[in-house]
Amino acid sequence: MKLTNRSKVVSNKEMTLAEKIYLPAIFTGMGITFKHAVRTVIKGAPAVYSYPEVQKPRATIWRGQHVLKRDEEGRERCTACGLCAVACPAEAITMTASERTKEEKGLYREEKYASVYEINMLRCIFCGMCEEACPKSAIYLTDRLVDVETNRGSFIYGKDKLVEKINERIDITTRQSEKQKNAVK
Amino acid sequence: MDLLTFKLILVLALFLLSLTIAAYSTWAERKVASIMQDRIGPNRAGPFGLLQPLADGGKFFFKEDFTPANAEKFLFVLGPALVMFISLITGAVIPWGKSLNIAGTSFDLQVANIDVGVLFIIGMASIGVYGIMIGGWASNNKYSLLGAIRASSQMISYELAMGLALLSIIMMTGSLDLKEITESQTTGKLWGIIPWGSGMNWNIFYQPIAFLVFFVAALAETNRHPFDLPECESELVTGYSTEYSSMKLGLYMFGEYVNMFISNAFMVVLFFGGYNYPGIEWVTQNWGENAAGILSVVAFLTKTVIGILIFMWIRWTLPRFRYDQLMHLGWKTLIPMALVNLLITGAVILAFAN
C-alpha cells in the first residue's frame, strides 16, 4: 500500500570498484573542506556574528521583550483593563488594578492603572496577542532580547523592567500601522 | 656534559613537548574544524583563543570527580593513567633530530637508541588498548563495556595491517632500529635512477601502498575519525569513557592527542625521512653539526605537525564508518593489500639485490 507519493525504492546495488576503494570520494570530500578552509582563512568566516559584540540584525517587527508605553506627557498608558491577560494564550500576564489619587494625575493617564503588572518571560511565547488586544496602545513587543538570568524567579518581569523610562523612550513606530499611528494620541 | 645529564634534559624536553603539542592539538582541532565549517572557532581565551587549552585543563581539574558506586575503583583509576603513560613512553625511542655537539661531544637526539625501536612502539601501541579495555570494564556499565570491546577489537584488527605495512619498510632497511631506518633515507638515488641531493630519499616514494595502509591503520589505532567507533554517541553514549568525569576523562582525551602526535612522529620516521630535509649533508659540512641538528629537529616537528593537521582535516571531512564496514575494510582490504605489497617488495628486493 502506498501511503504517500514520497516513498523511494531503496537500491542495494553493488558498489563499483571506484566506490569500493573509497579514495576518490575521500579526496573529493577533502577538496571541498579544503576549499572552505582556504576561503575562511582568506576572506574570514562568512555569516558569523561575534555575538555579544556584534548582534545579528533583527527585523524591525521582531517580537522581543515587551514594553509598557507612556504617552507624550510621560503618563503610563495602561489602564489595567486586563484584555492583554485575557488574550494571552500562554497566560503569562497578571496584573492588579488600582485607582489613581489626585496627586498621581501626572503619572497615569486614566483613572485606573496597574499597580502590579507582571509578565512571566518563561511562559511568554512572544506571539504578540497582547499587543493586538490592547485598546490603549500601552503594550508593545520590541526588538530587544530578554536578558539571560540564572534563576527562574528573575524571569518574572515587573513594572520596573517593563515600563519604559521617561528619558529612554523606546521607539515602536515601525510596528504600528498607519491607522494605529493616527489613533494613538 | 655527560651522557646521563643530556638524556635527562632530553626526557624532560620531550615530556613537555608531547604535552604542549597535545594540548595545542585540542586547540588546533577546534580551529581546523571551525575554518572548515566557515566559523571562527575559539577566540575568547587570549589572542586567537590560544589560552583555551589552559582554560580546558583548569575546567577538567575543578569538575566533580565522580566514581560509580559499583565500579572497580583501582582499575577505574588505572585505565586513563595507563593510556596516558603508554602514549608518553613511546616517544623515547623516536629519533627526534640528528645530533647536537655540546662542548666537543656529539649527542644523538634520541632518548633510548634500542635495536628494536619499531617493535617497542608497536608493542606499546598494543598495550594502549588495555587502558581503554580496563577503563570500559571497570566502569561496570554495559555501554562502556561495549564501547571498550569495540575499541579493542578495532585496534587489534588494525594492528595486523599496520604491522604488515611496517614489514615492507623493515625489509627494505633490514633493521628494526628507528635511527637506522631514518639514516637509510638520507642518501641515495631516488628509485635508483633520479639523482637527488641528500635527505630526500624517503620511503614514501618506494612504498606508497604500505604508507596508505599504515596511514589508515594509524587513524584507527589512535581512534581518530573516520574510525572513532568507541565513541559512537548515538549508539553507545560515549563508549568506554561514559562513566568518566573530571581529569580522568581529561586523561583519556589527552592521551588520544598524545597518541596522535606520537603516531605521526612514527609515520614521519618510517615514511617521510624522519629528521632528514633536503640538503642535510651540505648543511652539516658547511654550517656545522649543531645547525644541522637544530634544523633537523625543526624539520621533524614540521612534518609531524603537518601530519597532525592532515589527521584533523580527515576528521572534519569524513563521516564515521559503520562497524561492519570498519571490519570489512580492515580484514578484507587492508590486510590483503599489505600482504600483496609485502610480496612485491620481497620480489623486487630479491630481483635487485644481486
Side-chain angles (χ1 to χ4, degrees), chain A residues 22-23 26 29-31 33-34 36-37 39-41 45-46 48 50-53, chain B residues 34-40 43-44 212 310 313-314 316-318 321 325 329 333:
Chain A
Y22 298 117
L23 287 176
I26 287 173
M30 286 175 79
T33 40
F34 189 69
H36 277 262
R39 197 183 62 193
T40 314
V41 167
V48 170
S50 298
Y51 169 63
E53 293 90 22
Chain B
S34 65
I35 63 165
M36 283 182 177
Q37 297 171 348
D38 303 341
R39 298 186 281 114
I40 296 170
N43 62 351
R44 299 283 145 172
L212 193 69
I310 289 174
W313 183 7
I314 288 171
W316 297 105
T317 303
L318 297 180
F321 271 56
Q325 289 172 336
L329 186 70
T333 316

Side-chain angles (χ1 to χ4, degrees), chain B residues 64-308:
Chain B
E64 188 193 355
D65 194 359
F66 182 79
T67 311
N70 293 323
E72 192 81 28
K73 292 263 159 36
F74 176 68
L75 292 180
F76 191 73
V77 178
L78 188 69
L82 206 60
V83 167
M84 197 67 196
F85 175 72
I86 304 290
S87 317
L88 284 170
I89 207 172
T90 21
V93 294
I94 290 175
W96 298 92
K98 200 159 183 264
S99 57
L100 279 184
N101 196 327
I102 299 165
T105 343
S106 185
F107 294 104
D108 280 348
L109 286 166
Q110 185 181 15
V111 176
N113 189 8
I114 55 175
D115 290 340
V116 286
V118 176
L119 275 187
F120 179 80
I121 289 188
I122 290 287
M124 281 301 163
S126 316
I127 292 175
V129 184
Y130 280 68
I132 288 173
M133 194 62 216
I134 285 173
W137 182 79
S139 306
N140 197 14
N141 171 331
K142 290 178 188 67
Y143 291 110
S144 302
L145 185 61
L146 280 172
I149 290 171
R150 271 164 75 138
S152 40
S153 57
Q154 166 190 337
M155 283 165 121
I156 290 165
S157 324
Y158 275 76
E159 242 151 48
L160 281 172
M162 196 180 208
L164 287 174
L166 268 180
L167 270 184
S168 50
I169 297 290
I170 294 165
M171 276 165 74
M172 277 177 62
T173 322
S175 171
L176 287 166
D177 186 347
L178 287 171
K179 180 106 184 162
E180 215 162 290
I181 291 177
T182 313
E183 244 139 52
S184 74
Q185 301 178 56
T186 310
T187 48
K189 281 181 181 168
L190 217 50
W191 296 306
I193 319 161
I194 309 165
W196 194 292
S198 57
M200 275 308 281
N201 194 31
W202 298 355
N203 281 335
I204 173 88
F205 301 125
Y206 301 98
Q207 294 286 354
I209 293 171
F211 169 70
L212 193 69
V213 174
F214 187 86
F215 187 78
V216 175
L219 279 174
E221 276 286 298
T222 48
N223 283 334
R224 295 286 302 177
H225 271 255
F227 307 112
D228 73 332
L229 289 167
E231 320 174 3
C232 250
E233 294 91 347
S234 47
E235 312 150 37
L236 289 176
V237 197
T238 54
Y240 64 90
S241 59
T242 307
E243 297 290 353
Y244 281 91
S245 53
S246 182
M247 204 54 205
K248 291 206 202 86
L249 175 69
L251 280 183
Y252 266 130
M253 290 168 64
F254 210 61
E256 190 184 308
Y257 282 99
V258 179
N259 248 334
M260 184 163 76
F261 172 55
I262 298 292
S263 64
N264 268 302
F266 192 37
M267 207 138 54
V268 166
V269 171
L270 292 175
F271 292 98
F272 292 97
Y275 51 69
N276 287 308
Y277 50 91
I280 185 166
E281 276 175 1
W282 184 86
V283 172
T284 317
Q285 279 154 19
N286 290 286
W287 296 354
E289 192 183 348
N290 278 344
I294 290 164
L295 268 180
S296 69
V297 175
V298 172
F300 190 95
L301 290 181
T302 316
K303 289 178 203 171
T304 313
V305 168
I306 290 172
I308 293 175

